[in-house]
Amino acid sequence: MVDMNPATQSISGPAVCPMTGEQFAAVLVNWQAQHGRQSLPWQHTGDAYKVWLSEVMLQQTQVATVLTYYDKFLRVCPTVRDLACAAEQDVMQLWAGLGYYSRARNLHACAQQVVERFGGAFPRDVADLESLPGIGRSTAGAIASLAYGVQAPILDGNVKRVFCRYYGVEGYPEQSAVKKQLWLIAETNVPQINPGQYNQALMDLGATRCTPRNPDCRQCPLSDSCVALRKGMVGQLPTPKPRKVRPMLYFVSLVVQDEAGATLLDYQTEKGVWQGLWTPPCVACDEEHQPAALLPELEQILSRWGLSDARQEVLEQLQCLQGQPWLVHELTHRKMHFKVLALKRPGLHTAFHQISEKPVPRIVHKLLEQAGRSDESTQGSVAQQNTLDF
């Protein structure tokens, strides 16, 4: 079969030098006006709070996912002052499910500093914006240009991809020398007039045409002078990150529920991916998860929560745990595996909460589903009617 994808084919004919500066910017601004995204809720508002909120949410997250969370955030916290005054747990709960939870903690801290240091208005100056928690150079440039019309460059993931392909920049974009080169391109190209629309055009181009996979080169306004397209290197650029082996982590989670479906949840205070969130108690283990090795730590958990009478039930479940499949939870820098021990305890417990009441990571919902399946397998027809019935 003949490969007809222009992204993988080199183009013959005289080379056309890539555009720079005002010429490059004008092409993108014109394209954005006709073909770019125009209906995103934070666009055309001139509201730095809304621009900032969207930029933070869009880090590592797709637009389709962000839209729901963005709307929910604005209903609860319509201004930066509302967000600054909110309890951290409320902010974490609003964020729950978006992942990368340090963003939510920085979001809250940033709002508080905007109120304390800048009277509740985001500063126009890029350096002042960069001094705020969670705001790096690119996010600062986006806020300054999109909200205030400041001539400030951006360099998010979409923009890096456009620049690497269009100018033929090789090397992993996060390497110091490559990143410096990309920032120089960004600084050179950002125009004095309409810098916000230009930066929006760059982001739109990367999100809708110059995509990571299956880029639409035929509809790209830069295709005539794109170095990667001419050399047949679109699929190779940007240069991928050097592969690192992700650590494989294993846990046994203790899911304890009452008859109303409330779950024993432990607040995570230690620094880590789930700091500030609530999870069922769990024990780190290895892939073999031998009962004798796990029982002492599980006994400590049972004692801590007044559940020592469940020791025999836990021991019996441990003996059968080998047959339970691992629940896999993949994060960027680690791969986590969970197995579940499921207990039920009637009555009122202060440490038991409905999942909807607390900010929890997504894996908790999978753990509860597994606990429900375990319950079905042991309680027969009664459990099939309601997994939380006794």
Side-chain angles (χ1 to χ4, degrees), residues 271-344:
K271 285 189 175 182
V273 291
W274 290 335
Q275 182 185 6
L277 302 181
W278 297 72
T279 69
C282 63
V283 175
C285 62
D286 57 26
E287 193 171 2
E288 300 301 321
H289 55 276
Q290 296 297 330
L294 292 172
L295 191 57
E297 196 167 349
L298 285 168
E299 286 178 330
Q300 290 181 18
I301 292 175
L302 293 173
S303 176
R304 175 189 172 193
W305 298 105
L307 299 169
S308 295
D309 61 324
R311 180 185 184 281
Q312 185 59 35
E313 187 178 352
V314 167
L315 180 58
E316 291 172 0
Q317 289 193 41
L318 278 174
Q319 305 293 343
C320 303
L321 211 55
Q322 288 286 351
Q324 185 183 122
W326 288 105
L327 291 174
V328 180
H329 188 63
E330 298 201 39
L331 302 176
T332 305
H333 302 297
R334 66 202 73 189
K335 191 172 184 178
M336 309 173 83
H337 304 72
F338 292 83
K339 290 194 176 186
V340 174
L341 302 172
L343 300 176
K344 288 184 178 177

Side-chain angles (χ1 to χ4, degrees), residues 1 5 7 17 40 54 77 92 95 103 132 179 192 198-199 212 231 234 237 264 269 284 338 358 360 386:
M1 181 180 292
N5 183 356
C17 291
L40 297 175
S54 69
C77 300
M92 296 300 287
W95 194 272
R103 292 184 296 172
L132 293 166
K179 197 169 188 177
Q192 286 185 330
Y198 162 77
N199 282 336
K231 293 183 176 180
V234 173
L237 295 177
L264 173 62
T269 58
F338 292 83
K358 297 293 182 181
V360 299
N386 187 336

